Amino acid sequence: PLKKALFLSVFHAVSSFCNAGITLSHFTTHTHFASNYALLIVTSCLMLAGSLGFFVWWEVGNYCKNRIQKKRYPWSLVTKLSLIGSAA
């Protein structure tokens, strides 16, 4: 049913963003979806976005806005460490 599908999709999106690892499916883990690459890519992107945090995304947004306006934007130490650590 549509309501259940929407609830499960929102729940799993929030769970992935928060790196909670909680699932409501009748399976015990997500191993049944190991060959579903679309699900794995979306889940990985949500986990990466959630692990960086809102402050880092706010600074990245300000950097992009200032870059368009040809202005210089200094990164904070937290953002530098988060982006370098995630890239590594």
Side-chain angles (χ1 to χ4, degrees), residues 55-56 59 73-87:
F55 180 75
V56 173
E59 279 206 355
Y73 184 80
W75 296 97
S76 69
L77 181 62
V78 171
T79 301
K80 288 178 189 177
L81 291 175
S82 296
L83 292 176
I84 291 170
S86 295

Side-chain angles (χ1 to χ4, degrees), residues 13-48:
V14 171
S15 175
S16 295
F17 185 78
C18 296
N19 295 328
I22 300 171
T23 181
L24 294 180
S25 64
H26 62 280
F27 305 115
T28 57
T29 63
H30 286 295
T31 57
H32 293 78
F33 303 110
S35 61
N36 188 344
Y37 295 111
L39 178 78
L40 294 175
I41 290 170
V42 169
T43 303
S44 299
C45 290
L46 284 170
M47 290 174 71
L48 177 65

Side-chain angles (χ1 to χ4, degrees), residues 61-80:
N62 282 340
Y63 172 79
C64 292
K65 183 177 73 173
N66 287 338
R67 181 84 179 200
I68 291 171
Q69 297 172 353
K70 308 276 191 213
K71 294 180 183 176
R72 186 174 168 90
Y73 184 80
W75 296 97
S76 69
L77 181 62
V78 171
T79 301
K80 288 178 189 177

